[in-house]
Amino acid sequence: MNKRYEDLEELMSTGEAREVKRAMAVRMSLLGFVRAEAALACCVSVQFVDKWKAIYLASGVEGLKLAYKGSPGYLKPREREDVINWIQEKKTITIEELKRYLKEEYDVFYSSNTSYTKLLEEANLSYKKTHKENSAKDEVKVEAKKKEIKDLIDKEREQIESGEVMYWMQDESHQLWGDICGYVWSKKGERTSIKMSNYRTSQTWYGAVNIYTGEFILDRAKKADTKYTIDFINWLIYRYKEARHVIIWDGASYHRSEGLRTYLEKLNGGLPESEWKVRLLRFAPNAPEQNPVEDIWLQGKNWVRKNFHRLSSFKEVTSMFETFLSGKVFKFNKIKQYLIPNIYLDIRT
């Protein structure tokens, strides 16, 4: 056997894992395997095979060893381009994963994480918080429900424009005193505290946004249940006596209780569905992000957090929350997606 191949065989049997991978890739390439075949067999890239083959031909088997000092400690322009392309193929990546890849594929290790973050930024990645998503969510049902709502809106667009029918997206929120705690710039080494007698003190809110006008209304409640749900609907009817209402909400138990069904039967008085005073629709299950009111609650809570220094009691917390949201108009994409293009011209970004 060729002496060079014997050197590679020896390194493959005695070397460390990374040395073995390098030797194996070079040996397969020298035996006549196509670069892609060698890369696939060794679970490396084609660039990896080319690099270590070149080093081996220039420096022998010593060049494949981890202690070898002849290889550069930085990425060449073409290598940097290949690394960025590799990063872009991934949906998510950690700095540790990038470190391992650069070390194994290019024998490059940076002393500062800044060099790694620059590569990630060049690949158009950003550092962000992960978000939870219900594994039971069914995208097919979500899209089907969106279409159902859009079709209903299109069918009644003249009544909606005239104010005869109002479409509302509704939700409840439970505001805790402790929710005002957030991030703030303060002196290093000093703890920033907010005085409160009971951080679990809470206020329940019922809110709804008119998907045509963007108007948001809200009301206080002691808790979220059938009784207070009916109270909110009655309050909505009282505010807009002349209109018929369509309320779109989630599948909470008190949104489908026997008491609520009895109330609606009495309210609608045996009329045909097209003349009901109140109609109820549900979003697709396990996908709360469908409801724009979720985002409205977040805006209100973030506003309170930003102004925590002005608040000394929970009464002031709820008052600020209510003042910020009451009567405000919200016209963002989660609402506009249900509207038919070129018909609702008053809906703007």
PDB file of all heavy atoms in Angstrom, residues 227-240:
ATOM      1  N   LYS A 227     -72.013  34.930  33.695  1.00  0.00           N
ATOM      2  CA  LYS A 227     -72.725  36.122  34.133  1.00  0.00           C
ATOM      3  C   LYS A 227     -72.101  37.393  33.570  1.00  0.00           C
ATOM      4  O   LYS A 227     -72.795  38.244  32.991  1.00  0.00           O
ATOM      5  CB  LYS A 227     -72.745  36.201  35.657  1.00  0.00           C
ATOM      6  CG  LYS A 227     -73.374  37.493  36.195  1.00  0.00           C
ATOM      7  CD  LYS A 227     -73.185  37.639  37.687  1.00  0.00           C
ATOM      8  CE  LYS A 227     -73.793  38.947  38.207  1.00  0.00           C
ATOM      9  NZ  LYS A 227     -73.243  40.140  37.526  1.00  0.00           N
ATOM     10  N   TYR A 228     -70.786  37.535  33.732  1.00  0.00           N
ATOM     11  CA  TYR A 228     -70.132  38.764  33.290  1.00  0.00           C
ATOM     12  C   TYR A 228     -70.011  38.815  31.770  1.00  0.00           C
ATOM     13  O   TYR A 228     -69.941  39.908  31.186  1.00  0.00           O
ATOM     14  CB  TYR A 228     -68.766  38.900  33.967  1.00  0.00           C
ATOM     15  CG  TYR A 228     -68.906  39.274  35.416  1.00  0.00           C
ATOM     16  CD1 TYR A 228     -68.732  38.322  36.419  1.00  0.00           C
ATOM     17  CD2 TYR A 228     -69.256  40.576  35.795  1.00  0.00           C
ATOM     18  CE1 TYR A 228     -68.887  38.658  37.760  1.00  0.00           C
ATOM     19  CE2 TYR A 228     -69.418  40.916  37.133  1.00  0.00           C
ATOM     20  CZ  TYR A 228     -69.231  39.956  38.113  1.00  0.00           C
ATOM     21  OH  TYR A 228     -69.400  40.297  39.432  1.00  0.00           O
ATOM     22  N   THR A 229     -70.003  37.663  31.123  1.00  0.00           N
ATOM     23  CA  THR A 229     -70.033  37.639  29.662  1.00  0.00           C
ATOM     24  C   THR A 229     -71.367  38.185  29.158  1.00  0.00           C
ATOM     25  O   THR A 229     -71.416  39.007  28.230  1.00  0.00           O
ATOM     26  CB  THR A 229     -69.817  36.212  29.140  1.00  0.00           C
ATOM     27  OG1 THR A 229     -68.536  35.740  29.564  1.00  0.00           O
ATOM     28  CG2 THR A 229     -69.890  36.163  27.626  1.00  0.00           C
ATOM     29  N   ILE A 230     -72.450  37.759  29.774  1.00  0.00           N
ATOM     30  CA  ILE A 230     -73.782  38.272  29.407  1.00  0.00           C
ATOM     31  C   ILE A 230     -73.875  39.763  29.723  1.00  0.00           C
ATOM     32  O   ILE A 230     -74.434  40.543  28.931  1.00  0.00           O
ATOM     33  CB  ILE A 230     -74.877  37.480  30.143  1.00  0.00           C
ATOM     34  CG1 ILE A 230     -74.921  36.031  29.615  1.00  0.00           C
ATOM     35  CG2 ILE A 230     -76.231  38.150  29.990  1.00  0.00           C
ATOM     36  CD1 ILE A 230     -75.846  35.124  30.386  1.00  0.00           C
ATOM     37  N   ASP A 231     -73.312  40.184  30.854  1.00  0.00           N
ATOM     38  CA  ASP A 231     -73.319  41.610  31.201  1.00  0.00           C
ATOM     39  C   ASP A 231     -72.608  42.434  30.130  1.00  0.00           C
ATOM     40  O   ASP A 231     -73.067  43.520  29.755  1.00  0.00           O
ATOM     41  CB  ASP A 231     -72.625  41.834  32.550  1.00  0.00           C
ATOM     42  CG  ASP A 231     -73.481  41.385  33.728  1.00  0.00           C
ATOM     43  OD1 ASP A 231     -74.684  41.120  33.521  1.00  0.00           O
ATOM     44  OD2 ASP A 231     -72.942  41.292  34.843  1.00  0.00           O
ATOM     45  N   PHE A 232     -71.489  41.908  29.621  1.00  0.00           N
ATOM     46  CA  PHE A 232     -70.749  42.637  28.596  1.00  0.00           C
ATOM     47  C   PHE A 232     -71.561  42.734  27.311  1.00  0.00           C
ATOM     48  O   PHE A 232     -71.605  43.788  26.659  1.00  0.00           O
ATOM     49  CB  PHE A 232     -69.408  41.959  28.320  1.00  0.00           C
ATOM     50  CG  PHE A 232     -68.585  42.661  27.274  1.00  0.00           C
ATOM     51  CD1 PHE A 232     -67.895  43.830  27.574  1.00  0.00           C
ATOM     52  CD2 PHE A 232     -68.526  42.177  25.974  1.00  0.00           C
ATOM     53  CE1 PHE A 232     -67.155  44.492  26.607  1.00  0.00           C
ATOM     54  CE2 PHE A 232     -67.784  42.828  25.003  1.00  0.00           C
ATOM     55  CZ  PHE A 232     -67.092  43.990  25.321  1.00  0.00           C
ATOM     56  N   ILE A 233     -72.217  41.637  26.910  1.00  0.00           N
ATOM     57  CA  ILE A 233     -73.031  41.668  25.694  1.00  0.00           C
ATOM     58  C   ILE A 233     -74.176  42.672  25.855  1.00  0.00           C
ATOM     59  O   ILE A 233     -74.469  43.454  24.933  1.00  0.00           O
ATOM     60  CB  ILE A 233     -73.573  40.258  25.373  1.00  0.00           C
ATOM     61  CG1 ILE A 233     -72.412  39.311  25.030  1.00  0.00           C
ATOM     62  CG2 ILE A 233     -74.559  40.314  24.215  1.00  0.00           C
ATOM     63  CD1 ILE A 233     -72.835  37.869  24.837  1.00  0.00           C
ATOM     64  N   ASN A 234     -74.812  42.676  27.025  1.00  0.00           N
ATOM     65  CA  ASN A 234     -75.897  43.638  27.265  1.00  0.00           C
ATOM     66  C   ASN A 234     -75.393  45.073  27.193  1.00  0.00           C
ATOM     67  O   ASN A 234     -76.074  45.969  26.670  1.00  0.00           O
ATOM     68  CB  ASN A 234     -76.530  43.381  28.637  1.00  0.00           C
ATOM     69  CG  ASN A 234     -77.452  42.179  28.627  1.00  0.00           C
ATOM     70  OD1 ASN A 234     -78.028  41.832  27.595  1.00  0.00           O
ATOM     71  ND2 ASN A 234     -77.597  41.513  29.764  1.00  0.00           N
ATOM     72  N   TRP A 235     -74.199  45.299  27.716  1.00  0.00           N
ATOM     73  CA  TRP A 235     -73.613  46.636  27.671  1.00  0.00           C
ATOM     74  C   TRP A 235     -73.312  47.052  26.233  1.00  0.00           C
ATOM     75  O   TRP A 235     -73.521  48.197  25.833  1.00  0.00           O
ATOM     76  CB  TRP A 235     -72.343  46.645  28.518  1.00  0.00           C
ATOM     77  CG  TRP A 235     -71.623  47.952  28.576  1.00  0.00           C
ATOM     78  CD1 TRP A 235     -72.064  49.114  29.142  1.00  0.00           C
ATOM     79  CD2 TRP A 235     -70.329  48.237  28.045  1.00  0.00           C
ATOM     80  NE1 TRP A 235     -71.113  50.096  28.998  1.00  0.00           N
ATOM     81  CE2 TRP A 235     -70.037  49.585  28.332  1.00  0.00           C
ATOM     82  CE3 TRP A 235     -69.380  47.477  27.373  1.00  0.00           C
ATOM     83  CZ2 TRP A 235     -68.840  50.196  27.954  1.00  0.00           C
ATOM     84  CZ3 TRP A 235     -68.184  48.075  26.999  1.00  0.00           C
ATOM     85  CH2 TRP A 235     -67.933  49.416  27.291  1.00  0.00           C
ATOM     86  N   LEU A 236     -72.824  46.095  25.422  1.00  0.00           N
ATOM     87  CA  LEU A 236     -72.548  46.354  24.012  1.00  0.00           C
ATOM     88  C   LEU A 236     -73.837  46.718  23.275  1.00  0.00           C
ATOM     89  O   LEU A 236     -73.873  47.692  22.495  1.00  0.00           O
ATOM     90  CB  LEU A 236     -71.906  45.115  23.386  1.00  0.00           C
ATOM     91  CG  LEU A 236     -71.492  45.194  21.921  1.00  0.00           C
ATOM     92  CD1 LEU A 236     -70.357  46.188  21.742  1.00  0.00           C
ATOM     93  CD2 LEU A 236     -71.054  43.817  21.423  1.00  0.00           C
ATOM     94  N   ILE A 237     -74.897  45.959  23.553  1.00  0.00           N
ATOM     95  CA  ILE A 237     -76.194  46.245  22.918  1.00  0.00           C
ATOM     96  C   ILE A 237     -76.709  47.617  23.344  1.00  0.00           C
ATOM     97  O   ILE A 237     -77.247  48.383  22.526  1.00  0.00           O
ATOM     98  CB  ILE A 237     -77.214  45.143  23.287  1.00  0.00           C
ATOM     99  CG1 ILE A 237     -76.792  43.802  22.683  1.00  0.00           C
ATOM    100  CG2 ILE A 237     -78.611  45.519  22.824  1.00  0.00           C
ATOM    101  CD1 ILE A 237     -77.612  42.622  23.174  1.00  0.00           C
ATOM    102  N   TYR A 238     -76.541  47.956  24.604  1.00  0.00           N
ATOM    103  CA  TYR A 238     -77.009  49.244  25.117  1.00  0.00           C
ATOM    104  C   TYR A 238     -76.274  50.406  24.436  1.00  0.00           C
ATOM    105  O   TYR A 238     -76.890  51.427  24.113  1.00  0.00           O
ATOM    106  CB  TYR A 238     -76.796  49.307  26.629  1.00  0.00           C
ATOM    107  CG  TYR A 238     -77.186  50.633  27.239  1.00  0.00           C
ATOM    108  CD1 TYR A 238     -78.524  50.944  27.464  1.00  0.00           C
ATOM    109  CD2 TYR A 238     -76.213  51.568  27.563  1.00  0.00           C
ATOM    110  CE1 TYR A 238     -78.883  52.167  28.012  1.00  0.00           C
ATOM    111  CE2 TYR A 238     -76.561  52.793  28.109  1.00  0.00           C
ATOM    112  CZ  TYR A 238     -77.900  53.095  28.336  1.00  0.00           C
ATOM    113  OH  TYR A 238     -78.253  54.313  28.865  1.00  0.00           O
ATOM    114  N   ARG A 239     -74.983  50.243  24.205  1.00  0.00           N
ATOM    115  CA  ARG A 239     -74.194  51.302  23.562  1.00  0.00           C
ATOM    116  C   ARG A 239     -74.607  51.512  22.119  1.00  0.00           C
ATOM    117  O   ARG A 239     -74.573  52.638  21.603  1.00  0.00           O
ATOM    118  CB  ARG A 239     -72.703  50.961  23.622  1.00  0.00           C
ATOM    119  CG  ARG A 239     -72.046  51.186  24.968  1.00  0.00           C
ATOM    120  CD  ARG A 239     -70.557  50.873  24.899  1.00  0.00           C
ATOM    121  NE  ARG A 239     -69.875  51.712  23.934  1.00  0.00           N
ATOM    122  CZ  ARG A 239     -68.812  52.472  24.213  1.00  0.00           C
ATOM    123  NH1 ARG A 239     -68.334  52.513  25.445  1.00  0.00           N
ATOM    124  NH2 ARG A 239     -68.224  53.182  23.280  1.00  0.00           N
ATOM    125  N   TYR A 240     -74.950  50.424  21.436  1.00  0.00           N
ATOM    126  CA  TYR A 240     -75.284  50.503  20.010  1.00  0.00           C
ATOM    127  C   TYR A 240     -76.646  49.851  19.801  1.00  0.00           C
ATOM    128  O   TYR A 240     -76.752  48.752  19.252  1.00  0.00           O
ATOM    129  CB  TYR A 240     -74.195  49.812  19.177  1.00  0.00           C
ATOM    130  CG  TYR A 240     -72.804  50.348  19.452  1.00  0.00           C
ATOM    131  CD1 TYR A 240     -71.963  49.702  20.361  1.00  0.00           C
ATOM    132  CD2 TYR A 240     -72.350  51.495  18.815  1.00  0.00           C
ATOM    133  CE1 TYR A 240     -70.687  50.192  20.619  1.00  0.00           C
ATOM    134  CE2 TYR A 240     -71.081  52.001  19.078  1.00  0.00           C
ATOM    135  CZ  TYR A 240     -70.266  51.338  19.982  1.00  0.00           C
ATOM    136  OH  TYR A 240     -69.013  51.841  20.248  1.00  0.00           O
TER     137      TYR A 240
END
